[in-house]
Amino acid sequence: MGLLSKKDAALIKDPLADNNPITIQVLGICSALAITAELEASIVMSISVLFVLGVGNVVISLMRNIIPSKIRIIVQLIVVATLVIIVDLVLKAFAYELSKTLSVFVGLIITNCIIMGRFEAFALGNGPWRSFLDGIGNALGYAVILIIVGFFRELLGSGTLLGIPVLGDPIEKTGLYAFGYENNGFMLLSPMALIVVGIIIWVQRSRNTALVED
């Protein structure tokens, strides 16, 4: 972070841990539940939110002095909807099979509380550069949790990572399966995503007791 001032660097670092949008602010939980059964889907959703939040924060910041306050929410929705449509079209062009799996959830980026929250709380009151850093920081904090959850759910639920078998062949009984290991089908159910997120929150607060609410 040598190129950034201390305050600018904090915009990137804080959302990664002590002010994480999912584990601390408890925002964006729905996508963490819905699309993390596969690591690839978690990564693609993370990249999509990174683009929408980073670019969206800059656009809202550039327009902040000309947006009438009474219609600012409508303007923010138009900006985020436009960016989400761009993401959806890019996915259909370059990753069509994955776009069919994620299509509904990519559309739901519009309702992601993290995005609208950062538009309201930061981009409307700060310049483009700091708004860009804030968007990237919060999107990375969101991505870290999604990828951790996706990693454990796919590994323990399917025995694969990015679709590649890593624990052996469950049919031929090789690798860990030769010792009687069985994939945990519960990990593929949405409630298990909530439990994994809960474990991450518990570990995070155990390591930093200052995060524990009274």
Side-chain angles (χ1 to χ4, degrees):
M1 301 294 177
L3 297 176
L4 303 176
S5 68
K6 190 173 181 179
K7 286 185 176 180
D8 288 347
L11 295 175
I12 298 290
K13 292 190 296 185
D14 287 353
L16 294 176
D18 294 345
N19 195 27
N20 188 278
I22 291 182
T23 61
I24 303 300
Q25 302 173 37
V26 197
L27 299 174
I29 293 291
C30 295
S31 53
L33 303 181
I35 55 89
T36 52
E38 296 178 354
L39 180 58
E40 184 181 26
S42 301
I43 293 172
V44 172
M45 178 61 83
S46 298
I47 294 172
S48 301
V49 171
L50 188 69
F51 169 76
V52 172
L53 188 50
V55 175
N57 253 14
V58 172
V59 172
I60 294 297
S61 175
L62 290 171
M63 299 172 62
R64 68 187 187 283
N65 294 324
I66 61 173
I67 302 175
S69 61
K70 290 184 179 179
I71 63 167
R72 70 184 190 284
I73 300 297
I74 297 175
V75 174
Q76 291 169 16
L77 285 173
I78 292 172
V79 170
V80 71
T82 302
L83 294 171
V84 168
I85 289 171
I86 292 173
V87 169
D88 193 37
L89 292 176
V90 170
L91 284 176
K92 286 178 178 174
F94 297 102
Y96 183 68
E97 291 301 320
L98 188 58
S99 75
K100 289 194 294 185
T101 303
L102 288 177
S103 61
V104 174
F105 304 110
V106 168
L108 288 177
I109 291 175
I110 296 172
T111 62
N112 191 313
C113 300
I114 298 172
I115 295 173
M116 295 300 290
R118 297 326 297 171
F119 286 179
E120 276 287 299
F122 200 91
L124 282 175
N126 291 274
W129 173 239
R130 299 200 75 224
S131 295
F132 175 72
L133 295 178
D134 177 79
I136 294 298
N138 278 276
L140 289 176
Y142 169 85
V144 166
I145 301 302
L146 238 65
I147 291 173
I148 291 174
V149 176
F151 175 89
F152 285 107
R153 288 187 70 193
E154 182 176 347
L155 178 65
L156 301 178
S158 303
T160 62
L161 287 175
L162 297 174
I164 302 171
V166 294
L167 300 181
D169 189 324
I171 298 177
E172 298 293 333
K173 298 298 180 184
T174 61
L176 279 183
Y177 300 104
F179 300 96
Y181 178 79
E182 296 290 342
N183 292 328
N184 186 343
F186 284 116
M187 292 300 292
L188 302 178
L189 302 178
S190 293
M192 288 307 297
L194 192 60
I195 292 174
V196 176
V197 171
I199 293 172
I200 295 171
I201 292 173
W202 173 71
V203 171
Q204 188 178 25
R205 282 163 170 71
S206 298
R207 292 171 58 87
N208 184 359
T209 55
L211 299 175
V212 178
E213 296 87 356
D214 294 329

